[in-house]
Amino acid sequence: MPSGPTEIRIGMVVFDRAHDMVGVVDAFVGQIVTLSRPTGVSWQSRWASVRPGTAYEHRQLRAITALWKQQHKGLPGRGRGGAGPVTGSAP
């Protein structure tokens, strides 16, 4: 368990025990850490529940990123932060 927020840095891959998810640190506000995933999902957690990611968790985040990019390849308006307009009609 981290002894304080100084062990966790912005941009670092971490594991959040409270949400059971791997993410990247985006910001700190007091004892709250804002985390995100490349898929656009973001959440907040207490820094005490966040620890540096293991090598396995780094690979896991890279795999999530690759899968997300593959699933959204060629779709208009799909970037970090959510869905954009979808054009065309469904059959």
PDB file of all heavy atoms in Angstrom, residues 58-86:
ATOM      1  N   HIS A  58       0.305  -3.568 -16.682  1.00  0.00           N
ATOM      2  CA  HIS A  58       0.721  -2.740 -17.820  1.00  0.00           C
ATOM      3  C   HIS A  58       0.327  -3.429 -19.124  1.00  0.00           C
ATOM      4  O   HIS A  58      -0.216  -2.787 -20.027  1.00  0.00           O
ATOM      5  CB  HIS A  58       2.240  -2.516 -17.796  1.00  0.00           C
ATOM      6  CG  HIS A  58       2.683  -1.446 -16.871  1.00  0.00           C
ATOM      7  ND1 HIS A  58       3.128  -0.221 -17.306  1.00  0.00           N
ATOM      8  CD2 HIS A  58       2.767  -1.412 -15.524  1.00  0.00           C
ATOM      9  CE1 HIS A  58       3.467   0.518 -16.276  1.00  0.00           C
ATOM     10  NE2 HIS A  58       3.254  -0.183 -15.174  1.00  0.00           N
ATOM     11  N   ARG A  59       0.596  -4.738 -19.218  1.00  0.00           N
ATOM     12  CA  ARG A  59       0.218  -5.503 -20.418  1.00  0.00           C
ATOM     13  C   ARG A  59      -1.298  -5.518 -20.588  1.00  0.00           C
ATOM     14  O   ARG A  59      -1.814  -5.419 -21.717  1.00  0.00           O
ATOM     15  CB  ARG A  59       0.767  -6.922 -20.339  1.00  0.00           C
ATOM     16  CG  ARG A  59       2.275  -7.006 -20.504  1.00  0.00           C
ATOM     17  CD  ARG A  59       2.774  -8.433 -20.679  1.00  0.00           C
ATOM     18  NE  ARG A  59       2.368  -9.327 -19.618  1.00  0.00           N
ATOM     19  CZ  ARG A  59       3.046  -9.552 -18.489  1.00  0.00           C
ATOM     20  NH1 ARG A  59       4.182  -8.913 -18.274  1.00  0.00           N
ATOM     21  NH2 ARG A  59       2.603 -10.414 -17.594  1.00  0.00           N
ATOM     22  N   GLN A  60      -2.018  -5.649 -19.482  1.00  0.00           N
ATOM     23  CA  GLN A  60      -3.476  -5.668 -19.527  1.00  0.00           C
ATOM     24  C   GLN A  60      -4.007  -4.356 -20.106  1.00  0.00           C
ATOM     25  O   GLN A  60      -4.885  -4.365 -20.979  1.00  0.00           O
ATOM     26  CB  GLN A  60      -4.023  -5.884 -18.118  1.00  0.00           C
ATOM     27  CG  GLN A  60      -5.524  -5.955 -18.038  1.00  0.00           C
ATOM     28  CD  GLN A  60      -6.018  -6.115 -16.609  1.00  0.00           C
ATOM     29  OE1 GLN A  60      -5.304  -5.830 -15.651  1.00  0.00           O
ATOM     30  NE2 GLN A  60      -7.247  -6.565 -16.459  1.00  0.00           N
ATOM     31  N   LEU A  61      -3.464  -3.231 -19.666  1.00  0.00           N
ATOM     32  CA  LEU A  61      -3.917  -1.933 -20.169  1.00  0.00           C
ATOM     33  C   LEU A  61      -3.573  -1.777 -21.654  1.00  0.00           C
ATOM     34  O   LEU A  61      -4.384  -1.267 -22.431  1.00  0.00           O
ATOM     35  CB  LEU A  61      -3.308  -0.795 -19.345  1.00  0.00           C
ATOM     36  CG  LEU A  61      -3.925   0.572 -19.573  1.00  0.00           C
ATOM     37  CD1 LEU A  61      -5.400   0.591 -19.180  1.00  0.00           C
ATOM     38  CD2 LEU A  61      -3.171   1.632 -18.787  1.00  0.00           C
ATOM     39  N   ARG A  62      -2.390  -2.240 -22.055  1.00  0.00           N
ATOM     40  CA  ARG A  62      -2.030  -2.186 -23.482  1.00  0.00           C
ATOM     41  C   ARG A  62      -2.978  -3.044 -24.315  1.00  0.00           C
ATOM     42  O   ARG A  62      -3.388  -2.657 -25.406  1.00  0.00           O
ATOM     43  CB  ARG A  62      -0.579  -2.633 -23.693  1.00  0.00           C
ATOM     44  CG  ARG A  62       0.435  -1.563 -23.336  1.00  0.00           C
ATOM     45  CD  ARG A  62       1.819  -1.874 -23.876  1.00  0.00           C
ATOM     46  NE  ARG A  62       2.353  -3.151 -23.431  1.00  0.00           N
ATOM     47  CZ  ARG A  62       3.064  -3.337 -22.313  1.00  0.00           C
ATOM     48  NH1 ARG A  62       3.301  -2.318 -21.511  1.00  0.00           N
ATOM     49  NH2 ARG A  62       3.513  -4.534 -22.008  1.00  0.00           N
ATOM     50  N   ALA A  63      -3.367  -4.203 -23.795  1.00  0.00           N
ATOM     51  CA  ALA A  63      -4.300  -5.086 -24.516  1.00  0.00           C
ATOM     52  C   ALA A  63      -5.680  -4.442 -24.625  1.00  0.00           C
ATOM     53  O   ALA A  63      -6.330  -4.517 -25.678  1.00  0.00           O
ATOM     54  CB  ALA A  63      -4.397  -6.434 -23.816  1.00  0.00           C
ATOM     55  N   ILE A  64      -6.140  -3.802 -23.558  1.00  0.00           N
ATOM     56  CA  ILE A  64      -7.428  -3.098 -23.582  1.00  0.00           C
ATOM     57  C   ILE A  64      -7.391  -1.992 -24.633  1.00  0.00           C
ATOM     58  O   ILE A  64      -8.333  -1.819 -25.410  1.00  0.00           O
ATOM     59  CB  ILE A  64      -7.762  -2.523 -22.193  1.00  0.00           C
ATOM     60  CG1 ILE A  64      -8.096  -3.657 -21.222  1.00  0.00           C
ATOM     61  CG2 ILE A  64      -8.902  -1.510 -22.261  1.00  0.00           C
ATOM     62  CD1 ILE A  64      -8.127  -3.218 -19.758  1.00  0.00           C
ATOM     63  N   THR A  65      -6.276  -1.262 -24.675  1.00  0.00           N
ATOM     64  CA  THR A  65      -6.118  -0.180 -25.644  1.00  0.00           C
ATOM     65  C   THR A  65      -6.151  -0.720 -27.068  1.00  0.00           C
ATOM     66  O   THR A  65      -6.860  -0.182 -27.935  1.00  0.00           O
ATOM     67  CB  THR A  65      -4.785   0.562 -25.402  1.00  0.00           C
ATOM     68  OG1 THR A  65      -4.780   1.071 -24.076  1.00  0.00           O
ATOM     69  CG2 THR A  65      -4.593   1.692 -26.394  1.00  0.00           C
ATOM     70  N   ALA A  66      -5.403  -1.790 -27.321  1.00  0.00           N
ATOM     71  CA  ALA A  66      -5.356  -2.364 -28.666  1.00  0.00           C
ATOM     72  C   ALA A  66      -6.727  -2.878 -29.101  1.00  0.00           C
ATOM     73  O   ALA A  66      -7.153  -2.652 -30.237  1.00  0.00           O
ATOM     74  CB  ALA A  66      -4.327  -3.493 -28.711  1.00  0.00           C
ATOM     75  N   LEU A  67      -7.431  -3.548 -28.213  1.00  0.00           N
ATOM     76  CA  LEU A  67      -8.759  -4.059 -28.536  1.00  0.00           C
ATOM     77  C   LEU A  67      -9.724  -2.913 -28.825  1.00  0.00           C
ATOM     78  O   LEU A  67     -10.480  -2.950 -29.801  1.00  0.00           O
ATOM     79  CB  LEU A  67      -9.294  -4.909 -27.381  1.00  0.00           C
ATOM     80  CG  LEU A  67     -10.693  -5.480 -27.567  1.00  0.00           C
ATOM     81  CD1 LEU A  67     -10.747  -6.400 -28.781  1.00  0.00           C
ATOM     82  CD2 LEU A  67     -11.128  -6.221 -26.309  1.00  0.00           C
ATOM     83  N   TRP A  68      -9.691  -1.881 -28.007  1.00  0.00           N
ATOM     84  CA  TRP A  68     -10.581  -0.741 -28.197  1.00  0.00           C
ATOM     85  C   TRP A  68     -10.310  -0.061 -29.532  1.00  0.00           C
ATOM     86  O   TRP A  68     -11.234   0.266 -30.278  1.00  0.00           O
ATOM     87  CB  TRP A  68     -10.434   0.241 -27.039  1.00  0.00           C
ATOM     88  CG  TRP A  68     -11.407   1.367 -27.114  1.00  0.00           C
ATOM     89  CD1 TRP A  68     -12.696   1.373 -26.665  1.00  0.00           C
ATOM     90  CD2 TRP A  68     -11.190   2.662 -27.687  1.00  0.00           C
ATOM     91  NE1 TRP A  68     -13.286   2.586 -26.920  1.00  0.00           N
ATOM     92  CE2 TRP A  68     -12.382   3.397 -27.537  1.00  0.00           C
ATOM     93  CE3 TRP A  68     -10.108   3.266 -28.293  1.00  0.00           C
ATOM     94  CZ2 TRP A  68     -12.504   4.700 -27.980  1.00  0.00           C
ATOM     95  CZ3 TRP A  68     -10.234   4.569 -28.737  1.00  0.00           C
ATOM     96  CH2 TRP A  68     -11.435   5.256 -28.584  1.00  0.00           C
ATOM     97  N   LYS A  69      -9.024   0.125 -29.850  1.00  0.00           N
ATOM     98  CA  LYS A  69      -8.669   0.757 -31.130  1.00  0.00           C
ATOM     99  C   LYS A  69      -9.129  -0.096 -32.306  1.00  0.00           C
ATOM    100  O   LYS A  69      -9.629   0.425 -33.303  1.00  0.00           O
ATOM    101  CB  LYS A  69      -7.165   0.992 -31.207  1.00  0.00           C
ATOM    102  CG  LYS A  69      -6.700   2.159 -30.381  1.00  0.00           C
ATOM    103  CD  LYS A  69      -5.205   2.357 -30.528  1.00  0.00           C
ATOM    104  CE  LYS A  69      -4.737   3.541 -29.732  1.00  0.00           C
ATOM    105  NZ  LYS A  69      -3.283   3.746 -29.863  1.00  0.00           N
ATOM    106  N   GLN A  70      -8.965  -1.417 -32.192  1.00  0.00           N
ATOM    107  CA  GLN A  70      -9.384  -2.308 -33.267  1.00  0.00           C
ATOM    108  C   GLN A  70     -10.899  -2.265 -33.460  1.00  0.00           C
ATOM    109  O   GLN A  70     -11.392  -2.224 -34.575  1.00  0.00           O
ATOM    110  CB  GLN A  70      -8.946  -3.739 -32.954  1.00  0.00           C
ATOM    111  CG  GLN A  70      -9.301  -4.714 -34.041  1.00  0.00           C
ATOM    112  CD  GLN A  70      -8.876  -6.137 -33.686  1.00  0.00           C
ATOM    113  OE1 GLN A  70      -8.576  -6.428 -32.539  1.00  0.00           O
ATOM    114  NE2 GLN A  70      -8.850  -7.004 -34.667  1.00  0.00           N
ATOM    115  N   GLN A  71     -11.638  -2.231 -32.360  1.00  0.00           N
ATOM    116  CA  GLN A  71     -13.097  -2.205 -32.448  1.00  0.00           C
ATOM    117  C   GLN A  71     -13.619  -0.890 -33.011  1.00  0.00           C
ATOM    118  O   GLN A  71     -14.699  -0.853 -33.589  1.00  0.00           O
ATOM    119  CB  GLN A  71     -13.708  -2.442 -31.068  1.00  0.00           C
ATOM    120  CG  GLN A  71     -13.543  -3.851 -30.574  1.00  0.00           C
ATOM    121  CD  GLN A  71     -14.059  -4.030 -29.159  1.00  0.00           C
ATOM    122  OE1 GLN A  71     -14.160  -3.075 -28.391  1.00  0.00           O
ATOM    123  NE2 GLN A  71     -14.393  -5.259 -28.812  1.00  0.00           N
ATOM    124  N   HIS A  72     -12.873   0.195 -32.837  1.00  0.00           N
ATOM    125  CA  HIS A  72     -13.339   1.508 -33.278  1.00  0.00           C
ATOM    126  C   HIS A  72     -12.625   2.016 -34.521  1.00  0.00           C
ATOM    127  O   HIS A  72     -12.825   3.154 -34.927  1.00  0.00           O
ATOM    128  CB  HIS A  72     -13.191   2.517 -32.137  1.00  0.00           C
ATOM    129  CG  HIS A  72     -14.143   2.233 -31.026  1.00  0.00           C
ATOM    130  ND1 HIS A  72     -13.872   1.310 -30.040  1.00  0.00           N
ATOM    131  CD2 HIS A  72     -15.377   2.699 -30.770  1.00  0.00           C
ATOM    132  CE1 HIS A  72     -14.891   1.238 -29.214  1.00  0.00           C
ATOM    133  NE2 HIS A  72     -15.826   2.063 -29.639  1.00  0.00           N
ATOM    134  N   LYS A  73     -11.809   1.182 -35.121  1.00  0.00           N
ATOM    135  CA  LYS A  73     -11.071   1.571 -36.310  1.00  0.00           C
ATOM    136  C   LYS A  73     -12.044   1.927 -37.434  1.00  0.00           C
ATOM    137  O   LYS A  73     -12.933   1.154 -37.767  1.00  0.00           O
ATOM    138  CB  LYS A  73     -10.168   0.409 -36.752  1.00  0.00           C
ATOM    139  CG  LYS A  73      -9.220   0.759 -37.855  1.00  0.00           C
ATOM    140  CD  LYS A  73      -8.306  -0.420 -38.133  1.00  0.00           C
ATOM    141  CE  LYS A  73      -7.297  -0.057 -39.181  1.00  0.00           C
ATOM    142  NZ  LYS A  73      -6.387  -1.178 -39.431  1.00  0.00           N
ATOM    143  N   GLY A  74     -11.864   3.120 -37.987  1.00  0.00           N
ATOM    144  CA  GLY A  74     -12.681   3.543 -39.111  1.00  0.00           C
ATOM    145  C   GLY A  74     -14.041   4.109 -38.753  1.00  0.00           C
ATOM    146  O   GLY A  74     -14.776   4.531 -39.638  1.00  0.00           O
ATOM    147  N   LEU A  75     -14.405   4.133 -37.487  1.00  0.00           N
ATOM    148  CA  LEU A  75     -15.696   4.703 -37.113  1.00  0.00           C
ATOM    149  C   LEU A  75     -15.563   6.216 -36.974  1.00  0.00           C
ATOM    150  O   LEU A  75     -14.659   6.701 -36.317  1.00  0.00           O
ATOM    151  CB  LEU A  75     -16.189   4.104 -35.789  1.00  0.00           C
ATOM    152  CG  LEU A  75     -16.520   2.615 -35.818  1.00  0.00           C
ATOM    153  CD1 LEU A  75     -16.954   2.153 -34.431  1.00  0.00           C
ATOM    154  CD2 LEU A  75     -17.635   2.344 -36.810  1.00  0.00           C
ATOM    155  N   PRO A  76     -16.460   6.988 -37.570  1.00  0.00           N
ATOM    156  CA  PRO A  76     -16.366   8.442 -37.501  1.00  0.00           C
ATOM    157  C   PRO A  76     -16.693   8.964 -36.102  1.00  0.00           C
ATOM    158  O   PRO A  76     -17.574   8.444 -35.425  1.00  0.00           O
ATOM    159  CB  PRO A  76     -17.419   8.920 -38.513  1.00  0.00           C
ATOM    160  CG  PRO A  76     -18.404   7.807 -38.563  1.00  0.00           C
ATOM    161  CD  PRO A  76     -17.604   6.545 -38.343  1.00  0.00           C
ATOM    162  N   GLY A  77     -15.956   9.986 -35.684  1.00  0.00           N
ATOM    163  CA  GLY A  77     -16.266  10.666 -34.422  1.00  0.00           C
ATOM    164  C   GLY A  77     -15.974   9.844 -33.191  1.00  0.00           C
ATOM    165  O   GLY A  77     -16.445  10.169 -32.112  1.00  0.00           O
ATOM    166  N   ARG A  78     -15.208   8.783 -33.310  1.00  0.00           N
ATOM    167  CA  ARG A  78     -14.903   7.943 -32.140  1.00  0.00           C
ATOM    168  C   ARG A  78     -13.475   8.223 -31.702  1.00  0.00           C
ATOM    169  O   ARG A  78     -12.532   7.769 -32.301  1.00  0.00           O
ATOM    170  CB  ARG A  78     -15.034   6.456 -32.462  1.00  0.00           C
ATOM    171  CG  ARG A  78     -16.376   6.059 -32.981  1.00  0.00           C
ATOM    172  CD  ARG A  78     -17.352   5.990 -31.858  1.00  0.00           C
ATOM    173  NE  ARG A  78     -18.632   5.543 -32.419  1.00  0.00           N
ATOM    174  CZ  ARG A  78     -19.631   5.227 -31.685  1.00  0.00           C
ATOM    175  NH1 ARG A  78     -19.576   5.298 -30.386  1.00  0.00           N
ATOM    176  NH2 ARG A  78     -20.754   4.847 -32.223  1.00  0.00           N
ATOM    177  N   GLY A  79     -13.338   8.973 -30.643  1.00  0.00           N
ATOM    178  CA  GLY A  79     -12.035   9.242 -30.094  1.00  0.00           C
ATOM    179  C   GLY A  79     -12.113   9.203 -28.596  1.00  0.00           C
ATOM    180  O   GLY A  79     -13.162   8.895 -28.025  1.00  0.00           O
ATOM    181  N   ARG A  80     -11.049   9.498 -27.947  1.00  0.00           N
ATOM    182  CA  ARG A  80     -11.047   9.504 -26.497  1.00  0.00           C
ATOM    183  C   ARG A  80     -12.083  10.502 -26.020  1.00  0.00           C
ATOM    184  O   ARG A  80     -12.158  11.621 -26.466  1.00  0.00           O
ATOM    185  CB  ARG A  80      -9.658   9.905 -25.984  1.00  0.00           C
ATOM    186  CG  ARG A  80      -9.570   9.861 -24.494  1.00  0.00           C
ATOM    187  CD  ARG A  80      -8.136  10.173 -24.080  1.00  0.00           C
ATOM    188  NE  ARG A  80      -8.108  10.444 -22.674  1.00  0.00           N
ATOM    189  CZ  ARG A  80      -7.883   9.528 -21.744  1.00  0.00           C
ATOM    190  NH1 ARG A  80      -7.665   8.295 -22.073  1.00  0.00           N
ATOM    191  NH2 ARG A  80      -7.870   9.865 -20.475  1.00  0.00           N
ATOM    192  N   GLY A  81     -12.915  10.080 -25.117  1.00  0.00           N
ATOM    193  CA  GLY A  81     -13.911  10.978 -24.567  1.00  0.00           C
ATOM    194  C   GLY A  81     -15.333  10.651 -24.980  1.00  0.00           C
ATOM    195  O   GLY A  81     -16.268  11.324 -24.578  1.00  0.00           O
ATOM    196  N   GLY A  82     -15.516   9.625 -25.781  1.00  0.00           N
ATOM    197  CA  GLY A  82     -16.893   9.231 -26.036  1.00  0.00           C
ATOM    198  C   GLY A  82     -17.268   9.209 -27.498  1.00  0.00           C
ATOM    199  O   GLY A  82     -16.467   9.436 -28.381  1.00  0.00           O
ATOM    200  N   ALA A  83     -18.531   8.965 -27.711  1.00  0.00           N
ATOM    201  CA  ALA A  83     -19.060   8.780 -29.054  1.00  0.00           C
ATOM    202  C   ALA A  83     -19.389  10.096 -29.707  1.00  0.00           C
ATOM    203  O   ALA A  83     -19.814  11.045 -29.070  1.00  0.00           O
ATOM    204  CB  ALA A  83     -20.326   7.927 -28.969  1.00  0.00           C
ATOM    205  N   GLY A  84     -19.189  10.134 -30.995  1.00  0.00           N
ATOM    206  CA  GLY A  84     -19.581  11.271 -31.787  1.00  0.00           C
ATOM    207  C   GLY A  84     -20.786  10.892 -32.621  1.00  0.00           C
ATOM    208  O   GLY A  84     -21.399   9.852 -32.400  1.00  0.00           O
ATOM    209  N   PRO A  85     -21.128  11.695 -33.581  1.00  0.00           N
ATOM    210  CA  PRO A  85     -22.295  11.391 -34.388  1.00  0.00           C
ATOM    211  C   PRO A  85     -22.060  10.153 -35.241  1.00  0.00           C
ATOM    212  O   PRO A  85     -20.966   9.918 -35.744  1.00  0.00           O
ATOM    213  CB  PRO A  85     -22.452  12.636 -35.264  1.00  0.00           C
ATOM    214  CG  PRO A  85     -21.122  13.286 -35.261  1.00  0.00           C
ATOM    215  CD  PRO A  85     -20.469  12.928 -33.962  1.00  0.00           C
ATOM    216  N   VAL A  86     -23.080   9.369 -35.399  1.00  0.00           N
ATOM    217  CA  VAL A  86     -23.016   8.172 -36.236  1.00  0.00           C
ATOM    218  C   VAL A  86     -23.858   8.443 -37.447  1.00  0.00           C
ATOM    219  O   VAL A  86     -25.017   8.832 -37.347  1.00  0.00           O
ATOM    220  CB  VAL A  86     -23.541   6.935 -35.464  1.00  0.00           C
ATOM    221  CG1 VAL A  86     -23.534   5.719 -36.381  1.00  0.00           C
ATOM    222  CG2 VAL A  86     -22.710   6.683 -34.235  1.00  0.00           C
TER     223      VAL A  86
END
